[in-house]
């Protein structure tokens, strides 16, 4: 089983929409979770860290469900600039992260 | 604040040539990483370092070597480049091994 699984998308949403991505992880021992965003042909950038049940930063909310081993990212009031690939990254306990292919979001005018 | 920088930004090599990619960070981070990303794929960890003078293998270490002689620098070497090593290479650094900050990448083509 892969360490992390995400729907690759693309998710095509209109500006102003609310969109949510889910991510399931296999390592029940993972304590920390991270959402990164990666623009086309650019480096990944840390969007949000989740160390407890969830985190909120402006239009972005991450929620963690340890019992079901999934973490979600909710984006409210989508902007064109939110178009990117969103990577869900659980910690491996080895001071290294395992990145999947992510979920692609395309916000349309 | 430069963060994480990588040189060069682009490089074309012929099969069998060697080269070294340089990563530098000015955040005093202990942990540094080298990843490769092939088109449409996720990042794959090549090697990493948990401190000056240390290195460890990641998921895809074959064909690469690394050195961390100074805390701020992490070098990735290709001794004999192969077309399969055509990729985008990203370096990252981290204070604690979790929140990682990436450089802009090096686009390498091996012909």
């Amino acid at each position: 089983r892969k360490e992390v699984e995400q729907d690759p998308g693309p998710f095509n949403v209109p500006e102003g929409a609310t969109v949510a991505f889910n991510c399931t992880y296999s390592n029940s021992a993972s304590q920390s979770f991270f959402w990164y965003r990666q623009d086309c042909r650019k480096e990944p950038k840390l969007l949000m860290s989740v160390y407890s049940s969830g985190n909120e930063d402006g239009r972005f909310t991450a929620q963690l469900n340890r019992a079901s081993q999934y973490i979600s990212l909710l984006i409210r009031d989508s902007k064109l600039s939110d178009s990117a690939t969103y990577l869900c990254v659980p910690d491996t306990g080895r001071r290294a992260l395992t990145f999947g292919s992510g979920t692609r979001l395309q916000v349309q005018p | 604040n430069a963060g994480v920088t990588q040189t060069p930004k682009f490089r074309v090599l012929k099969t069998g040539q060697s080269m070294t990619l340089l990563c530098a960070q000015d955040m005093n981070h202990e942990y540094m990483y080298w990843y490769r990303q092939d088109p449409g794929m996720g990042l794959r960890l090549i090697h990493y370092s948990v401190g000056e003078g240390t290195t460890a293998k990641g998921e895809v270490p074959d064909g690469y070597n690394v050195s961390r002689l100074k805390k701020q620098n992490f070098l990735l070497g290709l001794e004999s480049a192969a077309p399969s090593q055509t990729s985008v290479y990203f370096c990252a650094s981290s204070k604690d091994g979790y929140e990682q900050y990436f450089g802009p990448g090096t686009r390498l083509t091996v012909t």
Side-chain angles (χ1 to χ4, degrees), chain B residues 33-105:
Chain B
Y33 307 84
W34 275 109
Y35 296 90
R36 62 176 287 175
Q37 186 172 35
D38 300 323
M41 305 285 287
L43 295 162
R44 290 187 292 170
L45 182 64
I46 304 171
H47 286 282
Y48 64 103
S49 168
V50 300
E52 183 178 315
T54 74
T55 62
K57 293 181 180 180
E59 181 187 356
V60 289
D62 293 341
Y64 305 95
N65 56 75
V66 287
S67 64
R68 183 104 180 264
L69 299 180
K70 293 183 178 181
K71 186 177 184 178
Q72 64 267 34
N73 295 337
F74 195 29
L75 279 64
L76 178 71
L78 286 73
E79 291 182 346
S80 180
S84 61
Q85 293 178 305
T86 293
S87 191
V88 180
Y89 291 84
F90 289 106
C91 174
S93 73
S94 173
K95 175 181 66 174
D96 54 10
Y98 297 125
E99 298 181 355
Q100 297 187 12
Y101 297 88
F102 285 80

Side-chain angles (χ1 to χ4, degrees), chain A residues 36 38 41 49 51 95, chain B residues 33 37 96 99-100 103 107:
Chain A
Y36 284 78
Q38 185 174 24
R41 296 177 66 80
S49 304
Y51 296 104
R95 299 289 176 170
Chain B
Y33 307 84
Q37 186 172 35
D96 54 10
E99 298 181 355
Q100 297 187 12
R107 283 164 175 74

